[in-house]
């Protein structure tokens, strides 16, 4: 997309610091930014002691997706979500599937995308019959200004709002989004600091803290996704510790998606995840007490459908992103009456 004169937007969640610097507390990098410089994400800039977003209305991707693609399996299943993003990210994942838009501001010092106002986004979502707006493809935290204005308008029009996030936002950012954010899928990418440091150039603990905080302090519906990369995060020990963390510190009702890796970006030499590894992760998740564990990026696998955690009844049958059957009534299993966690399940 062509680069046009960009609209600068005064940023949210920052404060002035000494010497004309500013402190941004939108994400856990908590950058202190000197005048004329940008933060770690490369899309928030200190101009004369005021922090601005460089990507406020720069939408670089917009698509009408199934909500299952986010993935969110227990939130308005079978509906469509109007999905948008702006350029930039606060992570540097070597396996990013959207690296052309997530890393462009960093790699090439350029902000691309077309002006698209909150009103236009909400209008397009309503017109296309979507039930929600998804802030996705890149990291929504760093385009929070657009998310907030769009999210509030969306709520007025009866639409929900969902984030697909790396979970690196601060508690302040979660509190800021809570009034209008309905659901979130967080990538819990691995369970070692070493993995986060080497492959994402980030840290694990802030992500765990976001998951705990959302589970215990908000009404936001949460699901978690782990991309399983051969040789990097696929050991039994790591998967057991990760699944145990979800069950213990979030909830056994939080759905966990174990997703298949395909070679991409800086990791083209790593092979795709074997189906057997995903089946093993599925077993480990169930053994840890998680009620809903799903296999992703492997259409036709047994691990795509929802079964009752109590009696095993097939409740939602999925093939890829399509739903063949949804037997849930009033959020309960028709066979045994067990409560099935989620929002708008049927
Ligand atoms: S959003 Fe995060 S990376 Fe970007 S300037 Fe703020 S603290 Fe730094």
């Amino acid at each position: 997309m062509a680069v046009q004169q960009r609209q600068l937007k005064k940023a949210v969640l920052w404060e002035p610091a000494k010497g004309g610097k500013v402190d941004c507390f939108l994400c856990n990098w908590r950058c202190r930014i000197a005048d004329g410089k940008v933060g770690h994400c490369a899309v928030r800039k200190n101009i004369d002691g005021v922090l601005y977003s460089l990507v406020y209305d720069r939408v670089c991707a917009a698509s009408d997706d199934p909500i299952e693609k986010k993935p969110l399996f227990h939130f308005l299943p079978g509906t469509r979500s109007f999905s948008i993003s702006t350029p930039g990210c606060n992570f540097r994942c070597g396996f990013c599937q959207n690296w052309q838009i997530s890393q462009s501001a960093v790699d090439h010092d350029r902000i691309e995308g077309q002006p698209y106002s909150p009103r236009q986004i909400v209008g397009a979502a309503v017109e296309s019959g979507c039930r929600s707006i998804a802030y996705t493809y890149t990291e929504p935290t760093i385009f929070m200004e657009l998310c907030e204005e769009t999210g509030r308008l969306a709520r007025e029009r009866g639409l929900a709002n969902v984030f697909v996030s790396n979970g690196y936002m601060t508690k302040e950012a979660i509190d800021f989004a809570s009034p209008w954010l309905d659901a979130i899928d967080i990538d819990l990418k691995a369970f070692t600091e070493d993995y986060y440091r080497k492959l994402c150039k980030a840290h694990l603990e802030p992500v765990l803290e976001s998951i705990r905080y959302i589970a215990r302090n908000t009404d936001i519906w949460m699901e978690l996704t782990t991309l399983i990369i051969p040789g990097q995060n696929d050991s039994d020990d790591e998967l057991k510790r990760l699944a145990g963390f979800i069950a213990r510190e979030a909830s056994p009702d939080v759905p966990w998606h174990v997703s298949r890796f395909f070679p991409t970006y800086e990791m083209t030499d790593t092979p795709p995840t074997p189906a057997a590894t995903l089946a093993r992760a599925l077993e480990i998740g169930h053994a840890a007490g998680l009620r809903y564990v799903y296999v992703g990026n492997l259409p036709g696998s047994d691990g795509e459908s929802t079964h009752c955690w109590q009696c095993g009844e097939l409740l939602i049958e999925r093939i890829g992103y399509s739903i063949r059957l949804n037997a849930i009534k009033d959020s309960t299993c028709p066979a045994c009456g067990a409560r099935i966690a989620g929002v708008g399940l049927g």
Side-chain angles (χ1 to χ4, degrees), residues 24-27 29-31 33 39-41 44 90 142:
C24 177
F25 46 92
L26 187 54
C27 89
W29 288 114
R30 294 187 180 270
C31 299
I33 308 169
H40 185 74
C41 57
R44 305 173 78 75
N90 51 357
I142 64 158

Side-chain angles (χ1 to χ4, degrees), residues 27-336:
C27 89
N28 269 293
W29 288 114
R30 294 187 180 270
C31 299
R32 172 159 288 185
I33 308 169
D35 190 15
K37 302 289 185 195
V38 294
H40 185 74
C41 57
V43 299
R44 305 173 78 75
K45 186 171 186 176
N46 177 349
I47 302 174
D48 295 332
V50 177
L51 188 63
Y52 290 91
S53 165
L54 304 179
V55 293
Y56 164 63
D57 65 346
R58 293 283 129 181
V59 173
C60 60
S63 174
D64 162 5
D65 287 343
I67 192 81
E68 284 74 17
K69 192 176 175 182
K70 301 303 113 194
L72 285 169
F73 278 14
H74 287 236
F75 185 82
L76 303 177
T79 65
R80 307 206 53 97
S81 189
F82 194 76
S83 304
I84 60 158
S85 68
T86 70
C89 190
N90 51 357
F91 275 25
R92 306 279 174 267
C93 302
F95 49 84
C96 182
Q97 293 174 344
N98 297 320
W99 59 272
Q100 292 96 334
I101 52 176
S102 71
Q103 301 304 318
S104 57
V106 180
D107 290 348
H108 309 292
D109 189 24
R110 65 172 194 232
I111 309 289
E112 297 190 337
Q114 300 289 353
Y116 208 1
S117 72
R119 200 161 290 284
Q120 286 173 312
I121 295 167
V122 173
V126 170
E127 222 166 80
S128 55
C130 290
R131 294 278 304 279
S132 61
I133 296 180
Y135 309 89
T136 178
Y137 307 132
T138 59
E139 175 52 42
T141 305
I142 64 158
F143 60 96
M144 187 66 90
E145 293 76 15
L146 182 64
C147 297
E148 189 215 3
E149 290 185 17
T150 307
R152 289 188 185 279
L153 272 179
R155 275 285 187 91
E156 286 172 17
R157 299 290 300 273
L159 299 175
N161 295 290
V162 310
F163 270 17
V164 180
S165 173
N166 58 29
Y168 220 59
M169 67 277 280
T170 57
K171 287 177 185 162
E172 295 95 314
I174 295 168
D175 289 342
F176 180 82
S178 288
W180 43 267
L181 186 61
D182 299 283
I184 188 166
D185 181 282
I186 292 181
D187 277 341
L188 178 51
K189 295 171 191 283
F191 210 64
T192 64
E193 171 63 14
D194 196 46
Y195 177 105
Y196 267 83
R197 202 168 30 76
K198 278 195 197 150
L199 295 188
C200 310
K201 311 285 186 292
H203 303 286
L204 169 64
E205 186 53 38
V207 181
L208 302 183
E209 198 43 45
S210 291
I211 292 168
R212 288 187 195 102
Y213 190 77
I214 290 170
R216 297 172 188 180
N217 299 285
T218 76
D219 293 328
I220 300 167
W221 174 255
M222 179 167 62
E223 304 193 16
L224 301 174
T225 297
T226 304
L227 181 73
I228 312 264
I229 303 183
Q232 301 291 349
N233 60 355
D234 59 350
S235 73
D236 278 7
D237 175 61
E238 182 165 353
L239 294 171
K240 279 178 190 169
R241 288 188 299 115
L242 191 155
F245 165 83
I246 302 171
R248 210 174 43 251
E249 304 210 30
S251 162
D253 278 331
V254 169
W256 182 38
H257 303 261
V258 291
S259 190
R260 190 177 196 207
F261 164 84
F262 288 100
T264 187
Y265 192 31
E266 295 172 345
M267 296 189 68
T268 48
D269 291 341
T270 304
T273 320
T277 303
L278 298 166
R280 179 163 54 80
L282 198 75
E283 269 177 34
I284 288 172
H286 286 305
L290 296 177
R291 291 175 170 175
Y292 313 104
V293 189
Y294 299 106
V295 167
N297 287 344
L298 193 65
S301 113
D302 283 349
E304 292 183 311
S305 295
T306 301
H307 293 263
C308 175
W309 58 272
Q310 188 163 266
C311 72
E313 178 81 357
L314 176 63
L315 297 176
I316 302 179
E317 185 182 7
R318 298 183 187 83
I319 305 282
Y321 302 134
S322 321
I323 289 186
R324 285 260 187 97
L325 158 101
N326 182 354
I328 300 176
K329 295 272 182 294
D330 297 327
S331 295
T332 55
C333 168
C336 73

